[in-house]
mmCIF file of all heavy atoms in Angstrom:
data_model
loop_
_atom_site.group_PDB
_atom_site.id
_atom_site.type_symbol
_atom_site.label_atom_id
_atom_site.label_comp_id
_atom_site.label_asym_id
_atom_site.label_seq_id
_atom_site.Cartn_x
_atom_site.Cartn_y
_atom_site.Cartn_z
ATOM 1 N N THR A 270 -3.194 -21.817 -42.859
ATOM 2 C CA THR A 270 -3.095 -23.156 -42.220
ATOM 3 C C THR A 270 -3.855 -24.144 -43.095
ATOM 4 O O THR A 270 -5.061 -23.999 -43.399
ATOM 5 C CB THR A 270 -3.561 -23.114 -40.802
ATOM 6 O OG1 THR A 270 -2.593 -22.424 -40.036
ATOM 7 C CG2 THR A 270 -3.839 -24.492 -40.257
ATOM 8 N N LYS A 271 -3.126 -25.371 -43.335
ATOM 9 C CA LYS A 271 -3.757 -26.452 -44.048
ATOM 10 C C LYS A 271 -4.181 -27.495 -43.154
ATOM 11 O O LYS A 271 -3.369 -28.050 -42.365
ATOM 12 C CB LYS A 271 -2.840 -26.879 -45.151
ATOM 13 C CG LYS A 271 -2.418 -25.807 -46.206
ATOM 14 C CD LYS A 271 -1.292 -26.447 -47.082
ATOM 15 C CE LYS A 271 -0.955 -25.401 -48.254
ATOM 16 N NZ LYS A 271 -0.076 -25.819 -49.202
ATOM 17 N N ILE A 272 -5.334 -27.821 -43.304
ATOM 18 C CA ILE A 272 -5.945 -29.033 -42.404
ATOM 19 C C ILE A 272 -6.339 -30.162 -43.308
ATOM 20 O O ILE A 272 -7.282 -30.071 -44.020
ATOM 21 C CB ILE A 272 -7.150 -28.511 -41.481
ATOM 22 C CG1 ILE A 272 -6.760 -27.394 -40.702
ATOM 23 C CG2 ILE A 272 -7.770 -29.633 -40.756
ATOM 24 C CD1 ILE A 272 -7.873 -26.743 -39.952
ATOM 25 N N GLY A 273 -5.625 -31.216 -43.073
ATOM 26 C CA GLY A 273 -5.686 -32.363 -44.145
ATOM 27 C C GLY A 273 -6.693 -33.486 -43.691
ATOM 28 O O GLY A 273 -7.396 -33.330 -42.626
ATOM 29 N N VAL A 276 -7.764 -35.365 -39.855
ATOM 30 C CA VAL A 276 -7.462 -34.427 -38.805
ATOM 31 C C VAL A 276 -8.725 -34.229 -37.842
ATOM 32 O O VAL A 276 -9.844 -34.028 -38.339
ATOM 33 C CB VAL A 276 -7.010 -32.964 -39.287
ATOM 34 C CG1 VAL A 276 -6.836 -32.009 -38.156
ATOM 35 C CG2 VAL A 276 -5.703 -33.156 -39.976
ATOM 36 N N ILE A 284 -4.941 -21.998 -33.329
ATOM 37 C CA ILE A 284 -3.857 -22.554 -34.305
ATOM 38 C C ILE A 284 -3.447 -21.251 -35.036
ATOM 39 O O ILE A 284 -4.149 -20.529 -35.572
ATOM 40 C CB ILE A 284 -4.371 -23.537 -35.178
ATOM 41 C CG1 ILE A 284 -4.845 -24.682 -34.381
ATOM 42 C CG2 ILE A 284 -3.387 -23.939 -36.196
ATOM 43 C CD1 ILE A 284 -5.469 -25.905 -35.139
ATOM 44 N N GLY A 285 -2.105 -21.080 -35.106
ATOM 45 C CA GLY A 285 -1.492 -19.988 -35.753
ATOM 46 C C GLY A 285 -1.554 -19.963 -37.282
ATOM 47 O O GLY A 285 -2.199 -20.879 -37.823
ATOM 48 N N GLU A 286 -0.877 -19.228 -37.972
ATOM 49 C CA GLU A 286 -0.873 -19.119 -39.433
ATOM 50 C C GLU A 286 0.107 -20.065 -40.014
ATOM 51 O O GLU A 286 1.260 -20.283 -39.385
ATOM 52 C CB GLU A 286 -0.421 -17.612 -39.846
ATOM 53 C CG GLU A 286 -1.396 -16.566 -39.405
ATOM 54 C CD GLU A 286 -0.872 -15.194 -39.764
ATOM 55 O OE1 GLU A 286 0.172 -14.987 -40.169
ATOM 56 O OE2 GLU A 286 -1.705 -14.249 -39.697
ATOM 57 N N HIS A 287 -0.214 -20.488 -41.279
ATOM 58 C CA HIS A 287 0.664 -21.268 -42.104
ATOM 59 C C HIS A 287 1.137 -22.561 -41.385
ATOM 60 O O HIS A 287 2.428 -22.882 -41.595
ATOM 61 C CB HIS A 287 1.933 -20.486 -42.542
ATOM 62 C CG HIS A 287 1.425 -19.131 -43.255
ATOM 63 N ND1 HIS A 287 0.750 -19.241 -44.519
ATOM 64 C CD2 HIS A 287 1.603 -17.860 -42.875
ATOM 65 C CE1 HIS A 287 0.512 -18.022 -44.812
ATOM 66 N NE2 HIS A 287 1.007 -17.156 -43.917
ATOM 67 N N CYS A 288 0.337 -23.188 -40.604
ATOM 68 C CA CYS A 288 0.514 -24.594 -40.162
ATOM 69 C C CYS A 288 0.130 -25.596 -41.118
ATOM 70 O O CYS A 288 -0.656 -25.362 -41.999
ATOM 71 C CB CYS A 288 -0.098 -24.718 -38.629
ATOM 72 S SG CYS A 288 0.472 -23.654 -37.428
ATOM 73 N N VAL A 289 0.628 -26.791 -40.890
ATOM 74 C CA VAL A 289 0.210 -27.985 -41.710
ATOM 75 C C VAL A 289 -0.162 -29.106 -40.686
ATOM 76 O O VAL A 289 0.795 -29.510 -40.041
ATOM 77 C CB VAL A 289 1.404 -28.476 -42.666
ATOM 78 C CG1 VAL A 289 0.786 -29.689 -43.407
ATOM 79 C CG2 VAL A 289 1.665 -27.372 -43.637
ATOM 80 N N LEU A 290 -1.408 -29.602 -40.732
ATOM 81 C CA LEU A 290 -1.965 -30.574 -39.858
ATOM 82 C C LEU A 290 -2.335 -31.794 -40.816
ATOM 83 O O LEU A 290 -3.153 -31.647 -41.667
ATOM 84 C CB LEU A 290 -3.016 -30.012 -39.037
ATOM 85 C CG LEU A 290 -2.862 -28.839 -38.202
ATOM 86 C CD1 LEU A 290 -4.053 -28.462 -37.441
ATOM 87 C CD2 LEU A 290 -1.739 -28.870 -37.396
ATOM 88 N N GLU A 291 -1.926 -32.987 -40.463
ATOM 89 C CA GLU A 291 -2.072 -34.260 -41.142
ATOM 90 C C GLU A 291 -2.385 -35.450 -40.174
ATOM 91 O O GLU A 291 -1.447 -35.654 -39.487
ATOM 92 C CB GLU A 291 -1.041 -34.551 -42.307
ATOM 93 C CG GLU A 291 -0.790 -33.388 -43.156
ATOM 94 C CD GLU A 291 0.425 -33.723 -44.057
ATOM 95 O OE1 GLU A 291 1.529 -33.518 -43.450
ATOM 96 O OE2 GLU A 291 0.329 -34.137 -45.226
ATOM 97 N N GLU A 292 -3.535 -36.134 -40.401
ATOM 98 C CA GLU A 292 -3.819 -37.245 -39.630
ATOM 99 C C GLU A 292 -3.487 -37.190 -38.217
ATOM 100 O O GLU A 292 -2.736 -37.954 -37.546
ATOM 101 C CB GLU A 292 -2.963 -38.421 -40.159
ATOM 102 C CG GLU A 292 -3.154 -38.780 -41.715
ATOM 103 C CD GLU A 292 -4.641 -39.432 -41.886
ATOM 104 O OE1 GLU A 292 -5.127 -40.023 -41.036
ATOM 105 O OE2 GLU A 292 -5.096 -39.383 -43.074
ATOM 106 N N CYS A 293 -4.031 -36.107 -37.435
ATOM 107 C CA CYS A 293 -3.678 -35.804 -36.154
ATOM 108 C C CYS A 293 -4.869 -35.449 -35.399
ATOM 109 O O CYS A 293 -5.848 -35.105 -35.907
ATOM 110 C CB CYS A 293 -2.475 -34.697 -36.156
ATOM 111 S SG CYS A 293 -2.930 -33.157 -36.799
ATOM 112 N N ILE A 295 -5.913 -32.667 -32.390
ATOM 113 C CA ILE A 295 -5.422 -31.430 -31.635
ATOM 114 C C ILE A 295 -6.584 -31.110 -30.687
ATOM 115 O O ILE A 295 -7.659 -30.729 -31.150
ATOM 116 C CB ILE A 295 -5.103 -30.283 -32.631
ATOM 117 C CG1 ILE A 295 -4.127 -30.738 -33.707
ATOM 118 C CG2 ILE A 295 -4.644 -29.140 -31.805
ATOM 119 C CD1 ILE A 295 -2.765 -31.018 -33.149
ATOM 120 N N LEU A 301 -1.276 -23.757 -30.730
ATOM 121 C CA LEU A 301 -0.296 -24.111 -31.615
ATOM 122 C C LEU A 301 0.261 -22.932 -32.479
ATOM 123 O O LEU A 301 -0.559 -22.213 -33.035
ATOM 124 C CB LEU A 301 -0.927 -25.230 -32.553
ATOM 125 C CG LEU A 301 0.243 -25.841 -33.564
ATOM 126 C CD1 LEU A 301 1.252 -26.576 -32.906
ATOM 127 C CD2 LEU A 301 -0.705 -26.665 -34.511
ATOM 128 N N GLY A 302 1.458 -22.692 -32.262
ATOM 129 C CA GLY A 302 2.178 -21.529 -32.901
ATOM 130 C C GLY A 302 2.123 -21.602 -34.417
ATOM 131 O O GLY A 302 2.095 -22.682 -35.084
ATOM 132 N N SER A 303 2.266 -20.451 -34.990
ATOM 133 C CA SER A 303 2.384 -20.245 -36.532
ATOM 134 C C SER A 303 3.707 -21.099 -37.068
ATOM 135 O O SER A 303 4.684 -21.307 -36.373
ATOM 136 C CB SER A 303 2.527 -18.841 -36.882
ATOM 137 O OG SER A 303 1.446 -18.035 -36.559
ATOM 138 N N GLY A 304 3.346 -21.525 -38.325
ATOM 139 C CA GLY A 304 4.409 -22.358 -38.896
ATOM 140 C C GLY A 304 4.713 -23.744 -38.452
ATOM 141 O O GLY A 304 5.768 -24.395 -38.879
ATOM 142 N N SER A 305 3.892 -24.246 -37.697
ATOM 143 C CA SER A 305 4.152 -25.601 -37.052
ATOM 144 C C SER A 305 3.501 -26.660 -37.974
ATOM 145 O O SER A 305 2.613 -26.401 -38.793
ATOM 146 C CB SER A 305 3.500 -25.679 -35.712
ATOM 147 O OG SER A 305 4.221 -24.837 -34.710
ATOM 148 N N ASN A 306 4.106 -27.816 -37.752
ATOM 149 C CA ASN A 306 3.706 -28.989 -38.667
ATOM 150 C C ASN A 306 3.447 -30.196 -37.768
ATOM 151 O O ASN A 306 4.403 -30.571 -36.917
ATOM 152 C CB ASN A 306 4.808 -29.293 -39.525
ATOM 153 C CG ASN A 306 4.630 -30.376 -40.630
ATOM 154 O OD1 ASN A 306 4.047 -31.480 -40.290
ATOM 155 N ND2 ASN A 306 4.938 -29.961 -41.878
ATOM 156 N N VAL A 307 2.258 -30.808 -37.764
ATOM 157 C CA VAL A 307 1.893 -31.956 -36.914
ATOM 158 C C VAL A 307 1.398 -33.061 -37.824
ATOM 159 O O VAL A 307 0.417 -32.751 -38.546
ATOM 160 C CB VAL A 307 0.910 -31.558 -35.832
ATOM 161 C CG1 VAL A 307 0.623 -32.781 -35.064
ATOM 162 C CG2 VAL A 307 1.385 -30.367 -34.980
ATOM 163 N N ARG A 308 1.957 -34.198 -37.689
ATOM 164 C CA ARG A 308 1.343 -35.334 -38.380
ATOM 165 C C ARG A 308 1.397 -36.622 -37.562
ATOM 166 O O ARG A 308 2.242 -36.940 -36.808
ATOM 167 C CB ARG A 308 2.196 -35.632 -39.563
ATOM 168 C CG ARG A 308 1.817 -36.785 -40.560
ATOM 169 C CD ARG A 308 2.802 -37.090 -41.601
ATOM 170 N NE ARG A 308 2.331 -38.192 -42.392
ATOM 171 C CZ ARG A 308 1.372 -38.110 -43.302
ATOM 172 N NH1 ARG A 308 0.708 -37.038 -43.734
ATOM 173 N NH2 ARG A 308 0.953 -39.430 -44.120
ATOM 174 N N ASP A 309 0.247 -37.378 -37.567
ATOM 175 C CA ASP A 309 0.094 -38.639 -36.879
ATOM 176 C C ASP A 309 -0.037 -38.582 -35.384
ATOM 177 O O ASP A 309 -0.176 -39.555 -34.658
ATOM 178 C CB ASP A 309 1.146 -39.645 -37.231
ATOM 179 C CG ASP A 309 1.290 -39.909 -38.636
ATOM 180 O OD1 ASP A 309 0.059 -40.005 -39.304
ATOM 181 O OD2 ASP A 309 2.219 -40.179 -39.237
ATOM 182 N N ALA A 310 0.168 -37.356 -34.699
ATOM 183 C CA ALA A 310 0.211 -37.287 -33.296
ATOM 184 C C ALA A 310 -1.086 -36.848 -32.659
ATOM 185 O O ALA A 310 -1.988 -36.313 -33.393
ATOM 186 C CB ALA A 310 1.301 -36.271 -32.873
ATOM 187 N N MET A 311 -1.241 -36.955 -31.336
ATOM 188 C CA MET A 311 -2.246 -36.366 -30.583
ATOM 189 C C MET A 311 -1.694 -35.360 -29.535
ATOM 190 O O MET A 311 -0.766 -35.597 -28.971
ATOM 191 C CB MET A 311 -3.059 -37.581 -29.824
ATOM 192 C CG MET A 311 -3.667 -38.560 -30.732
ATOM 193 S SD MET A 311 -4.221 -39.962 -29.680
ATOM 194 C CE MET A 311 -5.665 -39.066 -28.906
ATOM 195 N N ILE A 312 -2.329 -34.184 -29.547
ATOM 196 C CA ILE A 312 -1.715 -33.169 -28.610
ATOM 197 C C ILE A 312 -2.998 -32.480 -27.890
ATOM 198 O O ILE A 312 -3.898 -32.214 -28.551
ATOM 199 C CB ILE A 312 -1.016 -32.030 -29.339
ATOM 200 C CG1 ILE A 312 0.104 -32.482 -30.197
ATOM 201 C CG2 ILE A 312 -0.494 -30.989 -28.324
ATOM 202 C CD1 ILE A 312 0.727 -31.493 -31.106
ATOM 203 N N VAL A 317 2.276 -25.047 -27.578
ATOM 204 C CA VAL A 317 3.344 -25.206 -28.572
ATOM 205 C C VAL A 317 3.666 -23.910 -29.372
ATOM 206 O O VAL A 317 2.787 -23.327 -29.926
ATOM 207 C CB VAL A 317 2.796 -26.352 -29.675
ATOM 208 C CG1 VAL A 317 4.020 -26.642 -30.637
ATOM 209 C CG2 VAL A 317 2.449 -27.628 -28.970
ATOM 210 N N LEU A 318 4.856 -23.472 -29.321
ATOM 211 C CA LEU A 318 5.269 -22.220 -29.961
ATOM 212 C C LEU A 318 5.472 -22.381 -31.423
ATOM 213 O O LEU A 318 5.130 -23.373 -31.918
ATOM 214 C CB LEU A 318 6.560 -21.787 -29.240
ATOM 215 C CG LEU A 318 6.317 -20.961 -27.944
ATOM 216 C CD1 LEU A 318 5.680 -21.835 -26.739
ATOM 217 C CD2 LEU A 318 7.528 -20.312 -27.453
ATOM 218 N N ASP A 319 6.080 -21.280 -32.021
ATOM 219 C CA ASP A 319 6.040 -21.199 -33.556
ATOM 220 C C ASP A 319 7.107 -22.277 -34.143
ATOM 221 O O ASP A 319 8.132 -22.429 -33.451
ATOM 222 C CB ASP A 319 6.396 -19.803 -33.970
ATOM 223 C CG ASP A 319 5.441 -18.777 -33.587
ATOM 224 O OD1 ASP A 319 4.306 -19.156 -33.289
ATOM 225 O OD2 ASP A 319 5.849 -17.648 -33.611
ATOM 226 N N HIS A 320 6.894 -22.729 -35.262
ATOM 227 C CA HIS A 320 7.666 -23.551 -36.071
ATOM 228 C C HIS A 320 8.086 -24.876 -35.394
ATOM 229 O O HIS A 320 9.352 -25.146 -35.533
ATOM 230 C CB HIS A 320 8.975 -22.635 -36.581
ATOM 231 C CG HIS A 320 8.551 -21.362 -37.187
ATOM 232 N ND1 HIS A 320 8.034 -21.289 -38.539
ATOM 233 C CD2 HIS A 320 8.654 -20.007 -36.741
ATOM 234 C CE1 HIS A 320 7.859 -20.063 -38.744
ATOM 235 N NE2 HIS A 320 8.105 -19.140 -37.805
ATOM 236 N N VAL A 321 7.160 -25.425 -34.788
ATOM 237 C CA VAL A 321 7.563 -26.737 -34.184
ATOM 238 C C VAL A 321 6.971 -27.822 -35.038
ATOM 239 O O VAL A 321 6.018 -27.740 -35.687
ATOM 240 C CB VAL A 321 6.829 -26.829 -32.761
ATOM 241 C CG1 VAL A 321 6.754 -28.254 -32.328
ATOM 242 C CG2 VAL A 321 7.452 -25.827 -31.877
ATOM 243 N N THR A 322 7.871 -29.032 -35.171
ATOM 244 C CA THR A 322 7.473 -30.138 -35.961
ATOM 245 C C THR A 322 7.272 -31.268 -35.032
ATOM 246 O O THR A 322 8.149 -31.643 -34.203
ATOM 247 C CB THR A 322 8.586 -30.477 -36.886
ATOM 248 O OG1 THR A 322 8.911 -29.402 -37.743
ATOM 249 C CG2 THR A 322 8.358 -31.696 -37.674
ATOM 250 N N VAL A 323 6.029 -31.793 -35.151
ATOM 251 C CA VAL A 323 5.735 -32.990 -34.379
ATOM 252 C C VAL A 323 5.254 -34.204 -35.454
ATOM 253 O O VAL A 323 4.338 -33.975 -35.986
ATOM 254 C CB VAL A 323 4.600 -32.782 -33.327
ATOM 255 C CG1 VAL A 323 4.206 -34.036 -32.531
ATOM 256 C CG2 VAL A 323 4.950 -31.650 -32.418
ATOM 257 N N ARG A 324 6.014 -35.233 -35.431
ATOM 258 C CA ARG A 324 5.780 -36.256 -36.462
ATOM 259 C C ARG A 324 5.829 -37.697 -35.795
ATOM 260 O O ARG A 324 6.819 -37.992 -34.930
ATOM 261 C CB ARG A 324 6.644 -36.220 -37.576
ATOM 262 C CG ARG A 324 6.364 -34.917 -38.498
ATOM 263 C CD ARG A 324 7.345 -35.059 -39.686
ATOM 264 N NE ARG A 324 7.031 -33.927 -40.644
ATOM 265 C CZ ARG A 324 6.159 -34.042 -41.593
ATOM 266 N NH1 ARG A 324 5.478 -35.191 -41.779
ATOM 267 N NH2 ARG A 324 6.017 -32.940 -42.449
ATOM 268 N N GLY A 325 4.801 -38.531 -36.112
ATOM 269 C CA GLY A 325 4.896 -39.858 -35.573
ATOM 270 C C GLY A 325 3.841 -40.128 -34.569
ATOM 271 O O GLY A 325 3.221 -39.174 -34.014
ATOM 272 N N MET A 327 2.373 -40.497 -31.295
ATOM 273 C CA MET A 327 2.766 -40.208 -29.989
ATOM 274 C C MET A 327 1.505 -39.420 -29.481
ATOM 275 O O MET A 327 0.575 -38.955 -30.108
ATOM 276 C CB MET A 327 3.920 -39.248 -29.866
ATOM 277 C CG MET A 327 3.787 -37.887 -30.609
ATOM 278 S SD MET A 327 5.263 -37.034 -30.574
ATOM 279 C CE MET A 327 6.064 -37.687 -32.009
ATOM 280 N N LEU A 329 0.679 -36.582 -26.779
ATOM 281 C CA LEU A 329 1.320 -35.385 -25.898
ATOM 282 C C LEU A 329 0.360 -34.755 -25.176
ATOM 283 O O LEU A 329 -0.644 -34.376 -25.687
ATOM 284 C CB LEU A 329 2.097 -34.454 -26.789
ATOM 285 C CG LEU A 329 3.308 -34.986 -27.790
ATOM 286 C CD1 LEU A 329 3.962 -33.893 -28.620
ATOM 287 C CD2 LEU A 329 4.253 -35.734 -26.979
ATOM 288 N N ILE A 334 6.386 -26.553 -25.469
ATOM 289 C CA ILE A 334 7.461 -26.894 -26.361
ATOM 290 C C ILE A 334 7.923 -25.587 -27.034
ATOM 291 O O ILE A 334 7.011 -24.866 -27.632
ATOM 292 C CB ILE A 334 6.799 -27.797 -27.393
ATOM 293 C CG1 ILE A 334 6.341 -29.121 -26.729
ATOM 294 C CG2 ILE A 334 7.885 -28.141 -28.557
ATOM 295 C CD1 ILE A 334 5.897 -30.081 -27.629
ATOM 296 N N GLY A 335 9.162 -25.248 -27.008
ATOM 297 C CA GLY A 335 9.762 -23.968 -27.534
ATOM 298 C C GLY A 335 9.815 -23.912 -29.107
ATOM 299 O O GLY A 335 9.466 -24.914 -29.873
ATOM 300 N N TYR A 337 10.827 -23.754 -32.862
ATOM 301 C CA TYR A 337 11.771 -24.562 -33.695
ATOM 302 C C TYR A 337 12.188 -25.914 -33.165
ATOM 303 O O TYR A 337 13.100 -26.469 -33.523
ATOM 304 C CB TYR A 337 13.043 -23.640 -34.108
ATOM 305 C CG TYR A 337 12.709 -22.502 -34.890
ATOM 306 C CD1 TYR A 337 12.617 -21.223 -34.325
ATOM 307 C CD2 TYR A 337 12.575 -22.547 -36.266
ATOM 308 C CE1 TYR A 337 12.280 -20.151 -35.215
ATOM 309 C CE2 TYR A 337 12.225 -21.563 -37.116
ATOM 310 C CZ TYR A 337 12.092 -20.175 -36.550
ATOM 311 O OH TYR A 337 11.883 -19.138 -37.137
ATOM 312 N N ALA A 338 11.423 -26.392 -32.041
ATOM 313 C CA ALA A 338 11.625 -27.691 -31.614
ATOM 314 C C ALA A 338 11.149 -28.778 -32.572
ATOM 315 O O ALA A 338 10.250 -28.555 -33.355
ATOM 316 C CB ALA A 338 11.023 -27.866 -30.234
ATOM 317 N N SER A 339 11.771 -29.990 -32.533
ATOM 318 C CA SER A 339 11.268 -31.094 -33.256
ATOM 319 C C SER A 339 11.124 -32.304 -32.416
ATOM 320 O O SER A 339 12.010 -32.650 -31.623
ATOM 321 C CB SER A 339 12.398 -31.248 -34.353
ATOM 322 O OG SER A 339 12.201 -32.489 -35.133
ATOM 323 N N VAL A 340 9.873 -32.863 -32.394
ATOM 324 C CA VAL A 340 9.731 -34.090 -31.805
ATOM 325 C C VAL A 340 9.220 -35.203 -32.787
ATOM 326 O O VAL A 340 8.105 -34.998 -33.402
ATOM 327 C CB VAL A 340 8.525 -33.963 -30.706
ATOM 328 C CG1 VAL A 340 8.359 -35.146 -29.773
ATOM 329 C CG2 VAL A 340 8.913 -32.647 -29.826
ATOM 330 N N MET A 341 9.976 -36.285 -32.882
ATOM 331 C CA MET A 341 9.806 -37.185 -33.985
ATOM 332 C C MET A 341 9.844 -38.606 -33.425
ATOM 333 O O MET A 341 10.858 -39.003 -32.954
ATOM 334 C CB MET A 341 10.648 -36.909 -35.229
ATOM 335 C CG MET A 341 10.625 -35.476 -35.702
ATOM 336 S SD MET A 341 11.684 -35.175 -37.156
ATOM 337 C CE MET A 341 10.407 -35.907 -38.314
#
Side-chain angles (χ1 to χ4, degrees):
T270 286
K271 297 180 180 180
I272 299 175
V276 173
I284 297 172
E286 299 178 346
H287 304 293
C288 297
V289 178
L290 308 181
E291 303 172 281
E292 300 289 341
C293 60
I295 307 294
L301 181 67
S303 294
S305 293
N306 188 312
V307 182
R308 181 180 177 86
D309 296 326
M311 301 173 65
I312 306 175
V317 181
L318 276 64
D319 296 345
H320 303 291
V321 169
T322 299
V323 179
R324 289 184 176 271
M327 66 187 82
L329 302 180
I334 300 178
Y337 295 98
S339 174
V340 184
M341 306 185 75

